[in-house]
Amino acid sequence: MDIASLTVETNFGAVDWCIVVAYLLAIVGIGVYIRRYVANVSDFIVAGRGLGTYLAVATMIGTELGLVTVMYSSQKGFTGGFAAFHIAFAAAIVTFIVGLTGFIVVPLRAMRVMTIPEFYEKRFGRDVRIFGGLILAFSGILNMGMFLKAGSLFVMGVTGLTSDYHLKVIMTALLSMVLLYTILGGMVSVVILDYIQFVVLSCGFLIAVAMSISHLGYGNIVEAVAQAKGAAGFNPFDGEGFGMSYVLWMFFMGLVSCAVWQTSVIRACSAESTTIVKKIFKLSSIGFLIRFLIPYFLGICAFVFILGDSQLKPYFLPEGGQADAQMSLLAMPVFLSKLLPSGLIGIVSAGMLAAFMSTHDSYLLCWSSVLTQDVVAPLFGNRLSSKTRLLLTRCFILLIGIFILVWGLWYPLGQDLWDYMAISGAMYSVGGFTLLAFGLYWKRASRVGAYLALITGFFAVAGLTPVQKSLPWIFEPIKAILGIEQISSAVVGIVVLVLANVLLVLGSILFPDSLRHKKSLKEFK
Amino acid sequence: MVFWKLFWSIFLFLSIAAFAVLLIVVAIGGFFNILTLLRTLAAEHQQENSQDEDKQ
């Protein structure tokens, strides 16, 4: 049974459509209005570095608490049960430690860089910046490639619109609105809209959780998961569920999300001072926790709800098998559309769709500025004027928008969306983390070591299920030797991470930077 | 399993309570931060415009 044959009766009515349209038009209007405050590239990309603590926290959480996060997290809750909470736990602990120690983010802010590849140039040279920038942009754009699919499934689940035609029209319209206000407004409008998203969505979430508990009963939720999933539904170390390697990988992903991923780092770089950077990360640890935790819980509630619904159960929880990735993504919106009354479902959907736009605008801005500042501008010897850079950034935003529209509708997911996100992001973040950690804290880290780590990190692509399926002559012998049925994305990620670190150290020891190269870096600084 | 059931339940409710408090603090503080940001950017904009006029 697939999506096409699924009919969902939802509480989403005409009133809700009006709320959604009015809300979206209002936030686009605000974005366009704020354009008057954008004077230069710095205002466009890092809001003139004028973010106060609370606004920085709101915008950091607002960006990360997008519809896509809600969708992939609820899917993890649906498939993994309470054990999925360990991902939220890891994210919070790691973010708080980064806030306490200032690990990576404080020295980055002190260097006054706008992007991570800019750090590569200051530490390793211009060629490393261009190469690292290309990998970062490629990985980042691929990472956001599934956003549109997640968004479209949300619209499908909540509204009950099953026609493919309607869905494509809505998603194209949404993307057009995102492109409009991102191109016109830049970071100043992004931070203010993120703030609005943060407030609306957080309130919506808290109400949804309260209603879910009141409707299903907390004790019933726990017992239903225990009966259906056993110990694996609670214990993250249980081999039937996530297992040790997955938990370790999630701690690394927690560090990447807050300290290495460009959209988070750009917030640190936008802060008024290094003291505020630490404060932002300590406060945001609760946001990083909750952005996963509440959607996991809603996913668990969707699981329990569907378990007791004879009409939906065959679609989402077929006998003797698992639902495919698309169906488990659809579970939470279907549950919300049946739980929340008309009016409230409109507000929550508007918040979710606005969050979808908010995430898109932050990511579009982020990857387009990386392409402009870290790839094209250094190729021209940094002779591009501020106006040209602004124009280029806007052109890249448009091109990336077109790409994600095509990729989102075409790529066969084949695994949990979170695992796709983690592994596509790891193509950059494994190398990025290694370069940042060693580049900031180890004087001997060299250019050759940096190249080796970046290239090795790219091999994380092997964690994607379609890649493994399309290259059986590589992966089947490995599986046979190891005696396993499947190579999990967590194992691929950990192996690539260890290799990148080892190769950076070896490369730096065997091929240290020449005195001439070191001198040129000092001159640049 | 009993330990994990209890652990995740306490973890869930404590986290939600902490988030509710954070939401109130950040919503109020963030609003005032926005006013300051817009005032600063507007002042910078005005300064740049007056400098351009001086040059002309």
Side-chain angles (χ1 to χ4, degrees), chain A residues 82-100:
Chain A
F82 283 87
F85 282 7
H86 80 273
I87 304 171
F89 184 74
I93 295 281
V94 172
T95 309
F96 192 74
I97 292 171
V98 168
L100 274 181

Side-chain angles (χ1 to χ4, degrees), chain A residues 36-37 43 50 52-55 58 82 85-86 89 188 195 198 202 218 223 230-231 234-235 289-290 293 297, chain B residues 1 4-5 7-9 11-13 15-16 19 22-23 25-27 29-31 33-34 37-38 41-42 45 48:
Chain A
R36 62 169 63 187
Y37 294 100
D43 290 348
T53 309
Y54 299 110
L55 186 56
F82 283 87
F85 282 7
H86 80 273
F89 184 74
V188 181
Y195 168 81
F198 165 74
S202 301
Y218 187 73
E223 281 317 304
F234 295 90
N235 182 356
L289 164 80
I290 222 76
L293 194 66
F297 185 67
Chain B
M1 191 156 78
W4 286 108
K5 271 184 190 175
F7 180 75
W8 291 133
S9 297
F11 177 66
L12 175 68
F13 288 109
S15 304
I16 289 174
F19 183 64
L22 180 82
L23 172 62
V25 173
V26 170
F31 178 74
N33 283 166
I34 287 176
L37 172 71
L38 294 182
L41 289 175
H45 213 147
E48 275 180 26

Side-chain angles (χ1 to χ4, degrees), chain A residues 269 358 375 421:
Chain A
C269 297
S358 155
V375 180
M421 304 277 294

Side-chain angles (χ1 to χ4, degrees), chain A residues 30 34 55 59 187-197, chain B residues 34 37-38:
Chain A
I30 293 169
I34 290 163
L55 186 56
T59 190
M187 186 60 132
V188 181
S189 67
V190 167
V191 292
I192 293 170
L193 295 173
D194 279 351
Y195 168 81
I196 299 169
Q197 249 78 277
Chain B
I34 287 176
L37 172 71
L38 294 182

Side-chain angles (χ1 to χ4, degrees), chain A residues 1 304-317:
Chain A
M1 289 184 170
V304 176
F305 179 81
I306 288 168
L307 208 58
D309 187 309
S310 56
Q311 193 207 338
L312 294 175
K313 197 179 167 189
Y315 289 93
F316 293 91
L317 301 163

